[in-house]
Amino acid sequence: MSPESEADTTTQTALPGTLPEALFAELVAFRRDLHMHPELGNQEFRTTAAIKARLEKAGLAPRVLPSGTGLVCDIGGDTGADEVLGREGDGEASGILALRADIDALPIPDTKSECPYRSTVPDRAHACGHDMHTTVVLGAGLVLAGLHRRGLLPRPVRLVFQPAEEVLPGGATEAIKAGVLAGVGRILAVHCDPRVDAGLIGLRQGAITSACDRLEVSLDGPGGHSARPHLTTDLVTAAARVVTDVPALVGRRIDTRAGLAVTWGRIESGHAPNVIPQHAELAGTVRCLDINAWRHAPDIVVAAIDEVANLHKAKSEINYVRGVPPVVNEPEATELLRAAMTARRGADSVEGTEQSLGGEDFSWYLEHVPGAMARLGVRPPGERTLRDLHQGDFDADESAIRVGVELFTAAALLHPTH
């Protein structure tokens, strides 16, 4: 049955691959262990070792990525994980279905109180749900390995545990260079969404996240006495005008429907109230909803900064760091996720979702192979307090682990074999 026809069903379908209670309890414990021991991008050695050990216990053959963190593991088919890394190409021939998880944490403190599994590492927290993503893909892999042993897995599945999602331009680029997409025909992922109730997923065809780049600006001038700003470059005023005028200029130089936005997060200049400084620094992000507009964003933003700086006689130095393009969900992959969730929990378990201004390096995979990302509901039903992503008190309803595992196992079973 194709994803398109399956998506029309309104009731659950009897499929193998549900999550046994004992394994669910183990996965909850695994997630809590990761939550207590968060590791930053490219430093996820303990996390990698824990995933590897559990996959090997299940009789699988995971392979650590060349960077030393993250790993890849095949289930079924003729291509073992030990043969994947180092191969090039997007490999449309075998059409492996890949399931991707990101494994890194954020450099912020865990502020949850009275939580037995809060972070034990100062100023480190799984505040974006990557511990949930990792646990979901691990659980799906363990269930799918069991189905494969019973001859019930129709086509190979690859598990991709990717490091450094939070580090621009994202660990996905290095994972792709290492060959994790060799032989892959489609790739799927989930991302925790605290605005969606546990038990539900959010789907959207087309762009579901935005592009995100980093912007660093240095402004310089001769400095001087604050009593005589007319004799020098008033650098504080110049910096302030860059902060306020550049977003306005950018907004008038591209179609507003592209959603190109410059937002500043840091500005520093000066040490004394009566001294005009010689140096100022600004940093922020550039976000864009439209992938074509994103390709032109550096030229537009840099030109606007130079114009404002020149107007105030400040010398500008701009470091425009390319981040990630938008995640653009392929229609067929999106409908595969809809069909899988409908088969497990009925059509009412899927809701539409809007495009976010957040960035996600899953987008880099979609530059090579088709795929889609679903929003995994992690809000306890009935809870009114929003624990948003990238905040120290973020937590997730762990029942979402079961939802994610069964979503991915159903997708693997419904993925067309032609």
Side-chain angles (χ1 to χ4, degrees), residues 33-296:
D33 179 71
L34 294 186
H35 201 84
M36 293 172 67
H37 302 92
E39 297 174 300
L40 298 184
N42 296 315
Q43 301 173 23
E44 312 96 331
F45 297 102
R46 183 185 185 278
T47 302
T48 298
I51 300 166
K52 183 173 183 286
R54 186 59 185 92
L55 292 172
E56 289 177 337
K57 182 180 177 181
L60 297 170
R63 174 82 176 270
V64 176
L65 297 178
S67 62
T69 63
L71 61 162
V72 60
C73 182
D74 279 4
I75 303 169
D78 298 327
T79 303
D82 58 339
E83 300 173 355
V84 171
L85 300 183
R87 291 174 53 191
E88 296 182 353
D90 301 335
E92 299 177 359
S94 61
I96 296 170
L97 177 67
L99 306 177
R100 174 267 198 176
D102 37 12
I103 66 175
D104 57 325
L106 286 163
I108 64 175
D110 188 335
T111 61
K112 294 189 295 297
S113 61
E114 300 180 2
C115 177
Y117 52 86
R118 66 180 295 183
S119 173
T120 61
V121 184
D123 299 320
R124 304 286 186 268
H126 269 295
C128 201
H130 293 187
D131 55 335
M132 291 287 289
H133 308 163
T134 299
T135 304
V136 163
V137 173
L138 173 64
L142 297 176
V143 173
L144 291 171
L147 292 178
H148 175 60
R149 288 192 293 269
R150 295 161 56 194
L152 297 177
L153 187 62
R155 70 187 309 164
V157 173
R158 178 169 299 154
L159 313 178
V160 177
F161 297 92
Q162 175 217 302
E165 190 276 332
E166 299 288 354
V167 181
L168 289 180
T173 56
E174 292 303 313
I176 293 167
K177 290 178 184 177
V180 301
L181 291 181
V184 169
R186 184 163 283 137
I187 188 167
L188 303 175
V190 294
H191 198 296
C192 290
D193 192 335
R195 302 166 301 173
V196 178
D197 283 350
L200 306 177
I201 64 168
L203 286 179
R204 176 187 177 89
Q205 288 189 14
I208 193 171
T209 69
S210 79
C212 180
D213 299 334
R214 187 171 72 242
L215 186 60
E216 300 167 345
V217 181
S218 295
L219 299 178
D220 291 285
H225 199 295
S226 65
R228 292 177 286 278
H230 59 292
L231 298 181
T232 186
T233 296
D234 188 349
L235 208 59
V236 172
T237 296
R241 299 309 302 187
V242 168
V243 167
T244 57
D245 292 354
V246 167
L249 281 175
V250 168
R252 289 296 178 268
R253 294 181 178 180
I254 199 165
D255 192 327
T256 55
R257 290 172 295 183
L260 182 61
V262 178
T263 305
W264 302 102
R266 182 176 70 89
I267 178 170
E268 295 182 15
S269 185
H271 301 283
N274 61 341
V275 176
I276 294 176
Q278 296 178 315
H279 184 72
E281 294 182 358
L282 304 88
T285 59
V286 180
R287 299 180 186 271
C288 188
L289 297 174
D290 180 75
I291 192 167
N292 292 320
W294 174 71
R295 302 190 194 284
H296 299 288

